[in-house]
Amino acid sequence: MFRFISHKLFFVLFAVSIVVLFIAIFTISSNNKNIEKNLLLTQKEALNLQIINRLNKLSLELYSLNKQRSQYVFLFSQKKISQEYKNILEILKSSPTDEYDNNIIDVEKIIHELGQFKNTMKLRNDYLFHKKTLLTILNNNMALKTSPAEVHYAWKILKDALNSNNLITLGEINRTFYYHLSTLHKRDTFIFKKLFNMGNDANGSLLTARNIIRNNIILEGNIYDMQYYSSILVDDLQNNVEAIKDKRSQVITADILGNTTLYIICFIALGLCLLLAILLRVLMYRVDEAHANSVSVLSKFYTNNKIKTKNNLFYNNDNFIHHHKFITETLYHFLLRTKDIAIIVDNNNWPVISSSTFDHYTDLSDVSIKSNKPTSLNKIYTISDQKFVINNSKDSITYPINFIHAVGQQNHKILFLSPAHNSNDAAIKNDRLDSLGKISGEVAHDINNMLSVIIGCLKILRESKNLVAKEDSQVIDRALFSADKSISIIDRLLTFACCQKLSPELVDVNDLIEGLYEVICFTSDNDIDITLDLSTNANFIYIDPGQLEACIINLCINSMNAIDQQGQIVIKTSLTKSSMNDDEVLKISINDNGHGIAKNIQHRIFEPFFTGQKNSHGQGLGLSMVYGFVKQSGGYINVDSEVGIGTTISLLLKLDDKS
Amino acid sequence: MKLRYYWLYLLIFFNTAAYAEIHPLQVICSAKPKTCQWLQASFVEKYNIPTNIVRMSSGEALNVIEQNSTNTDFIYDVWWGGTGDTHLKAIGNGFMHKFSPSIKNLLGWSTYLSDLSNGHSVGVYAGILGIIANKKVLAAQNIDLPSCWSDLGDPKYRGQIIIANPATSGTAYTFLSTIFQIYDPFQRLQILAEIKENILKTTTSGYGALLPVANGEAALSVAFIHDVQSLANAGSPLTIIIPCEGTGYEIGAASILKNTQHLSQAQQFIEYTLLAETQNKLTQDISLQIFSNVDAVMSPVYKNQGALNVINYNFRIYSSERMRNKILDTWEGLTK
């Protein structure tokens, strides 16, 4: 292969060097003033076209700039765009003439506008962060606290307010909220007290939503301004290019007339060059083909991978002694790269030679070294459906086959296999949960659809003109309250079944937990001491931040419920090695010194509706939700609990590659 | 000693009264004629301040104010109603007086307009734009109702659209800027060109385009939904369509002209229209818009529309002189 490429490279270089030589001769020989002028104009035109090109690309990048939700990704893009505009500014400023002076002002305006955009973006991100916290508080209040339907309805209005995306909708929600509040004040002092406490959240929610919408408008305005200045710049440069083209066409006409002979010589030389290259290429192809046919597959492997090393990873026998070098050097390196398992089998599929990784799974090493036929005949080896299967009396091991190739003269085959699937491995332990997930996911999905219809009908009924009596409205409000609660249960079930639509983004987990601290303290009793033990470095993972927050809150609430009177909860983040593949993973652990979980129920804690508390107020869906979410996000959970001492639940999540 | 000047006080009082008699508060009203009339009558009844109200469309009012910017005899004091972007343009040119209403419980979009105008204007009402169709005319020709803005460019609606001139009508300008905000530069040119092809005639004001459609002269128009409700209720075959792409909205503004001779009365007039009791009357019986006081009731028109599909309309950009000229030039440049 190398030889083939080197031939190709040689011919290309040869052809290019001849062309360059001719162009050089052409340039040196043409001392015509017209040509010099032409070159200058070409250079200028190329410069203008290059800037136009860059500006057009930047214009597209600007469109996507205010869509960036993650501040880190945004800052990266903003820096890149800003730098690019600064580069363009440098190019324009380096012009010896003053023809770009107006353009320089436009670029400076864009750079200034980018700075404004950055400030607004930071402000909007602060509000978005605040919004997330408020939504978590609202969701908590709606899901976990028992409150009258009227108060629940008020929470819901605030939640809608936070999610509104234009000022008109927000205004009408605002009006509805205060109207709802005014109707309740007169009737019930208990509800009034509840709503009075809600005051801060209400103001916070309405103001936050308004500021997010207003900042979005400002950001769009910034983008528009930048694109406007950019379009003026592009128009100016485009006009320049047109003017240059006109001048150049006059110059070129004179040029062509003066140098026709030189051009003809150049084209003939170029043609000869290409012809020669094609002829040589055809000749070499034939040589390669003949060479390829003359060597065996094994020697081809060997000749193309000349890597010298010593290793003992392959077992061989006499039949393969002449291939020793191939096995110990070439194949070894090939396997190092692919991380596959290799095995050479005879025409009856008996393993003859295998890599040690394969033996690790099958105990084959003591068999294959000594003879062609394995002594332990209780194993049966079969190849079917791109799988290599080893059956013994107890269980079966299946290796997916990546690649098969015939080797040697005795119908031997070399198989490249992926690591085995054992029917008795750890996956079987999760079967129960997976089945539960599948069933509950399907049921939850159907119930969700039906509930949506019920809620829709109730809302139509509530807004109906025929509904006059306040008592009727209250009945519908109660029904809506119950339906909303059911939706929240179904949502958790869907999360358990890994059916939730996630919106992952780049998240610094330490930042997220620090932001949650206030919320967790808000939901806990005063006797519980909550401590954060976060790693010193920022840990970025690609995950749905809303769901991760809900998980951490759920785990903290479980810990709080496990603590009888006084206690401590520690939320810790650290980097650790994955037990599965040695990759570095982020570990978020929530440790409490509560009553612990009994050994006999530890395997059931993730099942939906299972709860270890006798007088539980919850639905037993918290841990199921956590399990489903972590699984869907590609992570796993460890539970370490001892009765009387406490519980530590750890979420192990994959770190983002870029971080 | 002070008694000696009583005659002077009396003279000043009678002179002021006489001045007010000769020069009543002059208001340009860019809302529906019925709204303007009711405002004049109720304001005079409540405060006994002589007031004269003249009805003009938003674009007309802007042109009149711009043309008379240096005219010292220009008599108008208040510009009430009409789309916020036209007010912002007049404010941008320095034709308006700064003021701060004493009523504070206003909704976010109302104060947003105050902030945008740097305290020169306030949002009084909001209205949502929609497609208005005469079902009877379309049914007679066996044509379906449109459901999106882009449908208006379909050749089957050739000669079926009556729309106002965007240079004189805030409704038509809001329609164009909505299309500008929804579609990218290439798509919007194509859609607007196709729509212009289908136009039968243009009128001066947005409200003026509705009557011929109600009378069956053409099948389609664009209007603020609350303007249509009264016509739709009167048994006409008009129907309202909220376009599938989302729709724009207006913020009806109120501003005081820079050369006003009645600053306190002008402010009093605007504050009167911001009161919850005034707005309740307007929203329930007269003009049916969404009003800005948080204590005012919800408009019956928009209450029944459910969650309206509204875009995040950018008043900051679309009220700028630069953008207004660009939009009007684009529309003018399209061949019919």
Side-chain angles (χ1 to χ4, degrees):
Chain A
M1 188 58 77
F2 272 121
R3 192 171 51 166
F4 202 65
I5 291 167
S6 63
H7 287 321
K8 272 209 296 194
L9 273 173
F10 170 73
F11 294 129
V12 170
L13 279 173
F14 180 62
V16 169
S17 58
I18 291 175
V19 172
V20 169
L21 188 70
F22 269 93
I23 290 171
I25 294 166
F26 168 73
T27 314
I28 293 161
S29 64
S30 55
N31 53 1
N32 193 322
K33 278 185 186 173
N34 276 343
I35 291 170
E36 274 179 31
K37 209 172 166 186
N38 185 18
L39 277 174
L40 273 174
L41 287 170
T42 313
Q43 214 173 7
K44 216 168 173 183
E45 187 188 342
L47 178 73
N48 280 348
L49 285 172
Q50 187 205 1
I51 297 174
I52 291 172
N53 226 350
R54 286 163 83 166
L55 285 170
N56 285 337
K57 269 188 196 164
L58 280 172
S59 200
L60 284 176
E61 283 182 32
L62 282 175
Y63 263 121
S64 58
L65 198 61
N66 75 332
K67 305 275 185 278
Q68 299 289 0
R69 281 194 62 225
S70 164
Q71 195 178 350
Y72 307 100
V73 181
F74 158 74
L75 283 175
F76 177 74
S77 311
Q78 194 264 351
K79 209 171 163 187
K80 209 175 103 191
I81 292 173
S82 190
Q83 189 52 51
E84 181 67 356
Y85 275 118
K86 281 176 187 162
N87 292 344
I88 290 172
L89 188 67
E90 285 303 310
I91 295 172
L92 294 175
K93 277 184 175 170
S94 64
S95 168
T97 58
D98 58 357
E99 61 186 324
Y100 291 123
D101 280 3
N102 285 335
N103 305 133
I104 287 171
I105 295 170
D106 287 332
V107 178
E108 280 172 345
K109 278 182 187 165
I110 295 173
I111 292 171
H112 171 75
E113 206 67 34
L114 260 170
Q116 300 285 326
F117 186 88
K118 188 180 169 184
N119 294 340
T120 317
M121 189 73 181
K122 274 186 179 167
L123 199 64
R124 185 180 72 162
N125 273 326
D126 287 347
Y127 286 121
L128 283 176
F129 185 74
H130 197 208
K131 174 184 163 179
K132 268 198 237 170
T133 314
L134 284 169
L135 273 176
T136 317
I137 293 175
L138 288 177
N139 282 334
N140 257 0
N141 279 304
M142 289 170 82
L144 297 167
K145 300 213 166 167
T146 49
S147 48
E150 289 86 345
V151 178
H152 186 270
Y153 181 61
W155 289 128
K156 197 176 172 307
I157 299 175
L158 285 183
K159 203 175 155 189
D160 289 346
L162 274 174
N163 289 323
S164 57
N165 58 4
N166 65 73
L167 289 171
I168 294 291
T169 312
L170 179 67
E172 290 312 281
I173 292 173
N174 192 344
R175 196 195 302 282
T176 312
F177 179 74
Y178 282 111
Y179 176 72
H180 184 67
L181 229 58
S182 69
T183 57
L184 296 177
H185 282 187
K186 296 162 197 162
R187 291 196 294 107
D188 194 333
T189 47
F190 170 70
I191 292 172
F192 173 70
K193 272 183 190 167
K194 277 252 170 200
L195 290 171
F196 183 76
N197 292 336
M198 193 195 278
N200 282 338
D201 293 335
N203 283 336
S205 301
L206 294 168
L207 263 173
T208 305
R210 200 183 74 182
N211 286 328
I212 290 169
I213 295 168
R214 286 175 68 155
N215 277 315
N216 278 340
I217 293 174
I218 295 171
L219 288 175
E220 272 173 35
N222 286 138
I223 294 278
Y224 171 77
D225 283 344
M226 286 188 263
Q227 282 175 336
Y228 176 75
Y229 296 131
S230 188
S231 68
I232 291 175
L233 198 59
V234 168
D235 286 350
D236 267 11
L237 294 172
Q238 200 75 52
N239 290 340
N240 267 355
V241 169
E242 292 303 320
I244 291 168
K245 268 185 186 165
D246 282 350
K247 278 185 197 168
R248 214 154 58 88
S249 64
Q250 292 164 9
V251 174
I252 286 171
T253 318
D255 183 35
I256 286 173
L257 290 172
N259 296 285
T260 318
T261 327
L262 211 57
Y263 273 118
I264 292 169
I265 295 168
C266 232
F267 278 122
I268 291 170
L270 191 67
L272 281 172
C273 229
L274 286 173
L275 201 66
L276 193 66
I278 292 164
L279 270 172
L280 286 171
R281 171 75 185 78
V282 170
L283 274 173
M284 280 320 294
Y285 178 74
R286 295 199 168 187
V287 170
D288 278 341
E289 203 175 28
H291 178 76
N293 289 336
S294 68
V295 290
S296 69
V297 176
L298 286 176
S299 60
K300 203 174 167 188
F301 256 117
Y302 174 67
T303 49
N304 287 333
N305 293 277
K306 290 174 181 163
I307 310 156
K308 305 275 180 207
T309 184
K310 287 178 182 173
N311 71 84
N312 298 313
L313 284 182
F314 281 89
Y315 304 103
N316 66 44
N317 63 13
D318 294 340
N319 288 347
F320 278 83
I321 204 74
H322 57 285
H323 289 310
H324 177 75
K325 213 169 184 183
F326 157 69
I327 290 159
T328 55
E329 290 182 7
T330 313
L331 201 51
Y332 167 67
H333 280 279
F334 183 76
L335 293 177
L336 269 189
R337 277 208 304 276
T338 59
K339 292 186 178 162
D340 276 355
I341 296 162
I343 173 168
I344 296 177
V345 294
D346 67 8
N347 53 355
N348 294 320
N349 296 330
W350 295 114
V352 182
I353 297 176
S354 65
S355 64
S356 59
T357 40
F358 178 76
D359 300 333
H360 173 74
Y361 288 102
T362 59
D363 274 340
L364 199 71
S365 52
D366 58 337
V367 181
S368 57
I369 298 168
K370 289 166 190 163
S371 75
N372 266 356
K373 301 276 182 258
T375 49
S376 52
L377 288 172
N378 56 348
K379 287 181 180 164
I380 301 163
Y381 303 89
T382 49
I383 297 177
S384 69
D385 195 20
Q386 285 296 307
K387 281 173 187 141
F388 184 68
V389 186
I390 303 167
N391 290 305
N392 62 19
S393 54
K394 287 177 193 166
D395 57 7
S396 67
I397 304 166
T398 306
Y399 293 86
I401 301 172
N402 291 336
F403 178 64
I404 304 183
H405 206 292
V407 288
Q409 304 297 321
Q410 300 166 342
N411 292 333
H412 283 87
K413 285 170 279 192
I414 182 163
L415 312 179
F416 292 94
L417 311 171
S418 293
H421 298 305
N422 192 323
S423 57
N424 282 337
D425 68 3
I428 210 162
K429 291 172 192 164
N430 294 328
D431 261 10
R432 189 180 156 82
L433 285 173
D434 286 347
S435 313
L436 266 172
K438 205 172 169 189
I439 295 164
S440 42
E442 279 172 18
V443 173
H445 188 258
D446 288 348
I447 295 177
N448 199 19
N449 287 346
M450 287 183 266
L451 269 175
S452 303
V453 177
I454 294 171
I455 290 174
C457 295
L458 284 171
K459 279 185 178 166
I460 292 169
L461 209 57
R462 201 181 184 285
E463 286 170 11
S464 165
K465 279 180 180 173
N466 301 330
L467 196 71
V468 185
K470 282 218 164 142
E471 289 73 20
D472 293 346
S473 299
Q474 282 169 11
V475 171
I476 295 171
D477 279 346
R478 277 190 202 111
L480 272 170
F481 167 68
S482 299
D484 276 340
K485 276 223 155 191
S486 313
I487 284 276
S488 130
I489 295 172
I490 294 295
D491 261 0
R492 283 158 178 242
L493 262 181
L494 282 171
T495 312
F496 168 67
C498 303
C499 299
Q500 272 298 30
K501 197 179 167 192
L502 299 180
S503 316
E505 59 183 78
L506 203 59
V507 176
D508 177 1
V509 175
N510 289 351
D511 252 16
L512 182 136
I513 293 174
E514 276 174 2
L516 270 182
Y517 183 70
E518 204 184 321
V519 182
I520 295 164
C521 292
F522 174 78
T523 44
S524 74
D525 296 331
N526 290 337
D527 294 337
I528 299 172
D529 179 24
I530 294 161
T531 318
L532 299 185
D533 178 10
L534 305 179
S535 60
T536 44
N537 296 332
N539 295 312
F540 290 97
I541 55 173
Y542 196 66
I543 204 159
D544 186 325
Q547 291 283 349
L548 181 62
E549 280 172 353
C551 279
I552 294 171
I553 291 174
N554 265 319
L555 292 173
C556 288
I557 288 167
N558 280 353
S559 294
M560 287 168 205
N561 290 335
I563 295 168
D564 288 333
Q565 287 171 339
Q566 283 191 328
Q568 193 188 26
I569 297 172
V570 181
I571 306 170
K572 186 177 174 182
T573 59
S574 57
L575 293 177
T576 182
K577 291 267 179 201
S578 163
S579 60
M580 302 218 177
N581 48 16
D582 259 15
D583 283 348
E584 201 161 44
V585 290
L586 172 70
K587 184 173 170 184
I588 308 170
S589 54
I590 287 101
N591 166 269
D592 66 68
N593 55 358
H595 52 57
I597 308 165
K599 285 269 181 242
N600 61 337
I601 59 164
Q602 275 187 15
H603 66 286
R604 293 194 61 200
I605 56 171
F606 294 119
E607 286 177 15
F609 303 109
F610 177 81
T611 170
Q613 299 157 33
K614 281 171 193 167
N615 303 318
S616 169
H617 298 294
Q619 291 113 0
L621 281 168
L623 278 178
S624 315
M625 194 205 108
V626 175
Y627 173 81
F629 167 67
V630 172
K631 197 176 160 201
Q632 201 177 348
S633 305
Y636 53 99
I637 307 180
N638 277 348
V639 181
D640 182 15
S641 182
E642 208 161 316
V643 176
I645 294 176
T647 306
T648 304
I649 295 192
S650 312
L651 314 181
L652 291 112
L653 299 162
K654 206 168 70 175
L655 282 167
D656 183 73
D657 298 339
K658 288 167 198 162
S659 67
Chain B
M1 191 161 154
K2 280 181 184 172
L3 282 171
R4 216 186 290 169
Y5 296 105
Y6 263 127
W7 64 272
L8 193 62
Y9 294 144
L10 278 172
L11 190 69
I12 291 169
F13 174 76
F14 282 114
N15 254 342
T16 316
Y19 180 83
E21 201 62 34
I22 303 160
H23 301 288
L25 181 70
Q26 295 283 356
V27 178
I28 300 174
C29 178
S30 297
K32 273 195 297 188
K34 193 178 163 189
T35 311
C36 302
Q37 286 157 13
W38 183 84
L39 274 177
Q40 182 185 26
S42 61
F43 181 69
V44 172
E45 190 187 333
K46 186 161 183 177
Y47 296 104
N48 200 21
I49 296 172
T51 307
N52 183 31
I53 287 189
V54 178
R55 160 86 179 95
M56 287 183 206
S57 72
S58 308
E60 280 175 326
L62 181 64
N63 288 340
V64 167
I65 292 167
E66 280 178 345
Q67 281 160 16
N68 291 284
S69 60
T70 52
N71 181 2
T72 46
D73 296 332
F74 192 54
I75 52 166
Y76 293 105
D77 303 296
V78 177
W79 181 14
W80 193 90
T83 51
D85 41 278
T86 47
H87 281 256
L88 288 172
K89 187 165 181 280
I91 291 160
N93 292 332
F95 303 147
M96 296 298 172
H97 199 287
K98 202 167 181 170
F99 76 102
S100 164
S102 58
I103 294 161
K104 297 296 174 200
N105 52 345
L106 299 174
L107 290 175
W109 50 262
S110 172
T111 50
Y112 171 59
L113 195 76
S114 296
D115 295 348
L116 270 185
S117 65
N118 198 19
H120 286 76
S121 189
V122 65
V124 186
Y125 61 82
I128 289 161
L129 203 66
I131 299 172
I132 312 306
N134 187 323
K135 283 185 288 185
K136 207 171 156 188
V137 174
L138 288 176
Q141 298 179 34
N142 204 16
I143 306 174
D144 304 333
L145 286 171
S147 55
C148 303
W149 291 119
S150 56
D151 290 347
L152 293 180
D154 196 310
K156 67 185 172 192
Y157 299 120
R158 186 66 42 90
Q160 292 294 354
I161 301 175
I162 296 180
I163 209 169
N165 179 0
T168 59
S169 154
T171 312
Y173 180 75
T174 310
F175 159 61
L176 293 187
S177 55
T178 302
I179 299 285
F180 263 68
Q181 285 174 77
I182 293 171
Y183 288 104
D184 70 35
F186 301 106
Q187 287 173 323
R188 67 193 177 210
L189 270 183
Q190 193 189 344
I191 289 169
L192 288 177
E194 285 168 0
I195 292 175
K196 203 169 180 184
E197 281 276 298
N198 290 346
I199 288 177
L200 178 69
K201 69 172 185 183
T202 50
T203 57
T204 322
S205 76
Y207 191 66
L210 278 178
L211 292 171
V213 173
N215 294 335
E217 200 179 319
L220 298 166
S221 186
V222 172
F224 290 111
I225 295 169
H226 52 260
D227 288 340
V228 189
Q229 199 65 27
S230 53
L231 294 170
N233 283 345
S236 75
L238 292 185
T239 185
I240 299 161
I241 299 150
I242 303 292
C244 65
E245 303 100 324
T247 187
Y249 62 90
E250 66 162 341
I251 295 180
S255 317
I256 299 172
L257 276 92
K258 194 166 193 175
N259 298 325
T260 177
Q261 299 295 318
H262 302 89
L263 183 58
S264 62
Q265 288 97 326
Q267 186 153 344
Q268 202 170 359
F269 180 83
I270 292 176
E271 284 184 352
Y272 168 68
T273 63
L274 293 174
L275 292 173
E277 56 170 301
T278 313
Q279 296 195 345
N280 277 344
K281 181 70 184 162
L282 284 168
T283 198
Q284 282 176 318
D285 303 324
I286 299 159
S287 58
L288 311 169
Q289 290 120 323
I290 299 167
F291 275 92
S292 57
N293 194 313
V294 75
D295 297 325
V297 293
M298 206 180 256
S299 161
V301 176
Y302 296 102
K303 195 176 182 179
N304 296 334
Q305 298 291 336
L308 287 171
N309 185 10
V310 179
I311 61 168
N312 201 8
Y313 195 95
N314 196 331
F315 285 98
R316 181 175 164 268
I317 291 299
Y318 286 87
S319 62
S320 68
E321 175 108 39
R322 193 172 80 196
M323 199 56 173
R324 190 178 166 84
N325 290 341
K326 186 178 173 184
I327 290 179
L328 294 179
D329 288 349
T330 308
W331 181 251
E332 276 303 307
L334 296 170
T335 49
K336 192 188 163 183

